[in-house]
Amino acid sequence: MRMLINSPQTVVADALRGLAAAHPDLDVDPQARVVVRKGAREGGRVGLVSGGGSGHEPLHAGFVGPGMLSAACPGEVFTSPVPDQVVRAAKAVDSGRGVLFIVKNYTGDVLNFDMAAELAEEDGIRVERVLVDDDVAVTDSLYTAGRRGTGATLFVEKIAGAAAEEGAPLDQVAAVARQVNAASRSFGVALSACTTPAKGSPTFDLPDGELELGIGIHGEPGRERRPMMSAREIAEFAVGAVLDDLAGVGPADGPVLALVNGMGATPLLELYGFHAEVARVLADRGVPVVRTLVGNYVTSLDMAGCSVTLCRADEELLRLWDAPVQTPALRWGR
């Protein structure tokens, strides 16, 4: 095993200590496993809390800051945060206007965030929950009942965060988050398996010369395995799957936000080349792209591969997307 770590047992705490040292504008508690925006209660804003297993960085702690999340709760690698973490985060960010939990659709996350919501409400905190389930590859998996939550989490956190920053009430922030999720679809492809620090070896077997179409962000299987394909062929398959599922959402020629996301080990040289093919397919289909992100945003440790996420964006969603944001991993307009 070749990893830049001290030990598998301390990898998450060590990463949080490093996050704290690199970003003093965040309040980071490596022991309690909570990352909070400084001044989170100021201004009477709705609080936004998200979280999930570590190993998907910069999701979620990298998206804490003005214009996005108020707090994030990192669990152990590929393991949901526990309810106590989430409640602690909710208390740290509640200004009296309520807290929105943004939850990816994985069984552990759903159960623990639901339990945390009940505990927070017992303490007098009003909580709304939004479930992200954008992955079109499979309906059910080893980790979910229903679709998995993947790249659209970034769109939901950014756009809902902008609404909260503007002072929107809790029900409105939750409504726009649900709108973004409903208008978003994703599809992922793996060229190699990821390696967890605890296991020290690939989490699944992917023979040389093959790829997995529709992979999940924990290495869950997708639709099928095929011999290695070109970037052009992968883009046609992935974008086609996403657009087919988006067919009933808004006009077929409506504008989209596009995320070409690396899974952790794919260099930007390849990601930008792949994006060229994604842009070509969308142009051929008559779908205008109004904004694009290319890079590693929702990863799976050291997995090679990528995912494509598209969101049908009306003028209001685009306005909120363009609103200023300042986080470790996403920043513009400030």
Side-chain angles (χ1 to χ4, degrees), residues 258-303:
L259 169 63
V260 172
N261 173 66
M263 301 300 284
T266 302
L268 278 171
L269 180 71
E270 295 178 31
L271 290 177
Y272 275 112
F274 180 69
H275 173 60
E277 299 299 339
V278 169
R280 175 187 59 79
V281 175
L282 290 169
D284 289 348
R285 297 266 192 129
V287 178
V289 179
V290 288
R291 299 290 185 275
T292 302
L293 279 181
V294 178
N296 290 295
Y297 294 98
V298 184
T299 64
S300 184
L301 294 169
D302 60 343
M303 181 186 289

Side-chain angles (χ1 to χ4, degrees), residues 24 40 50 55 57 82 87 96 108 115 121 145 154 160 168 170 173 183 210-211 215 222 247 261 268 289 322:
S50 192
E57 289 73 23
V82 297
V87 173
M115 186 178 299
E121 287 167 348
L154 169 63
L170 180 58
V173 176
E210 294 187 5
L211 54 75
I215 196 72
N261 173 66
L268 278 171
V289 179
D322 286 342

Side-chain angles (χ1 to χ4, degrees), residues 138 169 319:
V138 293
R319 184 188 72 81

Side-chain angles (χ1 to χ4, degrees), residues 295-316:
N296 290 295
Y297 294 98
V298 184
T299 64
S300 184
L301 294 169
D302 60 343
M303 181 186 289
C306 63
S307 62
V308 177
T309 304
L310 302 178
C311 174
R312 296 274 189 210
D314 59 21
E315 290 184 5
E316 177 62 6

Side-chain angles (χ1 to χ4, degrees), residues 16-243:
L16 289 174
R17 290 192 297 107
L19 181 71
H23 300 283
D25 51 330
L26 300 177
D27 284 328
V28 182
D29 188 333
Q31 301 306 315
R33 306 292 171 88
V34 175
V35 179
V36 180
R37 166 188 175 178
K38 283 190 175 176
R41 293 177 180 171
E42 297 173 3
R45 292 178 298 268
V46 167
L48 266 66
V49 175
S50 192
S54 296
H56 306 303
E57 289 73 23
L59 193 76
H60 294 274
F63 299 137
V64 175
M68 213 159 172
L69 293 177
S70 308
C73 307
E76 292 297 327
V77 173
F78 292 177
T79 303
S80 171
V82 297
D84 284 351
Q85 283 176 264
V86 183
V87 173
R88 183 177 284 107
K91 290 179 177 178
V93 305
D94 180 38
S95 66
R97 299 194 65 194
V99 177
L100 177 66
F101 289 172
I102 298 172
V103 188
K104 301 186 304 303
N105 188 32
Y106 297 95
T107 302
D109 289 9
V110 172
L111 292 174
N112 287 349
F113 272 87
D114 282 353
M115 186 178 299
E118 294 176 6
L119 294 171
E121 287 167 348
E122 288 176 2
D123 286 338
I125 300 173
R126 185 180 167 210
V127 176
E128 286 275 0
R129 284 156 285 179
V130 170
L131 192 67
V132 182
D133 57 354
D134 54 303
D135 183 20
V136 305
V138 293
T139 301
D140 296 293
S141 75
L142 298 173
Y143 289 74
T144 66
R147 291 179 166 177
R148 303 175 290 211
T150 58
T153 313
L154 169 63
F155 290 153
V156 171
E157 291 177 355
K158 170 61 184 78
I159 291 174
E165 196 73 28
E166 292 179 353
L170 180 58
D171 58 351
Q172 187 176 326
V173 176
V176 77
R178 294 186 181 107
Q179 179 186 352
V180 173
N181 180 65
S184 302
R185 301 290 189 276
S186 297
F187 192 93
V189 179
L191 309 182
S192 73
C194 59
T195 302
T196 62
K199 189 168 188 267
S201 60
T203 54
F204 61 93
D205 178 44
L206 187 58
D208 290 343
E210 294 187 5
L211 54 75
E212 182 94 23
L213 293 169
I215 196 72
I217 58 173
H218 305 97
E220 314 98 312
R223 289 187 179 182
E224 60 179 295
R225 287 190 179 179
R226 288 191 181 182
M228 188 60 198
M229 300 159 64
S230 67
R232 174 180 293 262
E233 294 168 327
I234 295 170
E236 288 170 351
F237 192 102
V239 175
V242 169
L243 290 179

